[in-house]
Amino acid sequence: MNNDDKIAAIRDYVFAIFSSDATGHDFHHMSRVADAARTISEAENANPFICEAAAWIHDIGDEKLFADRTEAINDLTAFLLSSGITRDETRKILQAAEDVSFRKGNVPDTLEGKIVQDADRLDAIGAVGIARTFAYGGSNGQLIWSSTESDGTSIQHFYDKLLLLKGRMNTNSAIRIAEKRHRFMEMYLDQFFSEWCR
């Protein structure tokens, strides 16, 4: 099985899990992150197969999305091995996906992990990132904004996380993309508050 076939199998596996997600962690999110990771990997001289594969599966086992993280990772590992992916490739894919989370505060050890983290963070900012923020907030019963109690609102999430991401990119390629998306979010927030406060 060549790498294109392996990626196709992973894509189908991810589609079966995330196709009906309404939190912003859907199949299209995985697809965008995989595409960005592959593009960045080529610019940064990393392993494009490991980057793309890890990007496709990076949210599998996320405690926000899975009731049993261990079971999800075990099922994923078994699937990867059964799909013609070697044990060494599987180890590298899982390692690259492991430290992506913003909440954990980790900087991945491998270049491939750094690239997947960057690709995931890029999808959290800009126009799509804004849409995902409100999708996640709505699916979890968050208020859009409250001037009296901002904690836990979707707008507060910009200040707690999204506006910090530009300064936490690992690669030069991601930094360049993040600059434009960051500016767009700042413009959006200016417009939001100008309308909200009327």
Side-chain angles (χ1 to χ4, degrees):
M1 182 180 282
N2 62 36
N3 285 346
D4 288 342
D5 291 336
K6 293 173 185 177
I7 292 293
I10 293 170
R11 184 177 61 240
D12 291 345
Y13 183 82
V14 168
F15 181 82
I17 296 172
F18 292 104
S19 61
S20 62
D21 178 272
T23 71
H25 299 82
D26 56 11
F27 174 79
H28 300 290
H29 165 63
M30 309 306 163
S31 181
R32 289 189 302 270
V33 174
D35 184 60
R38 183 181 62 251
T39 299
I40 294 170
S41 73
E42 292 164 357
E44 300 289 336
N45 295 313
N47 183 316
F49 171 68
I50 298 300
C51 288
E52 185 174 2
W56 273 111
I57 59 93
H58 76 277
D59 275 335
I60 294 179
D62 187 320
E63 288 141 357
K64 297 190 306 290
L65 308 172
F66 290 82
D68 189 331
R69 169 180 164 73
T70 301
E71 180 181 20
I73 296 296
N74 288 343
D75 289 347
L76 171 63
T77 303
F79 162 76
L80 293 173
L81 293 171
S82 72
S83 299
I85 297 170
T86 68
R87 289 194 175 278
D88 185 55
E89 288 173 331
T90 296
R91 179 186 59 78
K92 289 177 180 177
I93 291 166
L94 294 174
Q95 181 180 8
E98 175 63 26
D99 292 331
V100 168
S101 172
F102 176 85
R103 288 179 297 121
K104 294 178 184 174
N106 296 331
V107 176
D109 293 329
T110 66
L111 176 58
E112 288 74 19
K114 291 174 181 175
I115 288 170
V116 175
Q117 187 178 68
D118 280 355
D120 185 46
R121 289 177 170 181
L122 286 171
D123 205 54
I125 61 177
V128 169
I130 291 169
R132 291 182 62 225
T133 296
F134 292 115
Y136 184 81
S139 70
N140 285 276
Q142 289 180 348
L143 295 176
I144 293 174
W145 171 247
S146 169
S147 57
T148 58
E149 186 57 52
S150 61
D151 286 350
T153 66
S154 292
I155 289 293
Q156 185 59 40
H157 184 65
F158 285 82
Y159 299 97
D160 292 341
K161 176 182 176 181
L162 305 186
L163 293 171
L164 305 178
L165 292 178
K166 180 188 73 161
R168 299 188 184 183
M169 296 294 168
N170 301 297
T171 63
N172 290 330
S173 301
I175 290 168
R176 286 191 293 271
I177 299 167
E179 289 281 352
K180 181 178 180 181
R181 296 188 185 190
H182 182 88
R183 287 195 301 272
F184 183 84
M185 288 193 302
E186 290 179 323
M187 291 168 53
Y188 171 80
L189 289 168
D190 287 344
Q191 183 67 25
F192 174 87
F193 284 114
S194 76
E195 296 178 16
W196 184 271
C197 296
R198 287 182 179 174

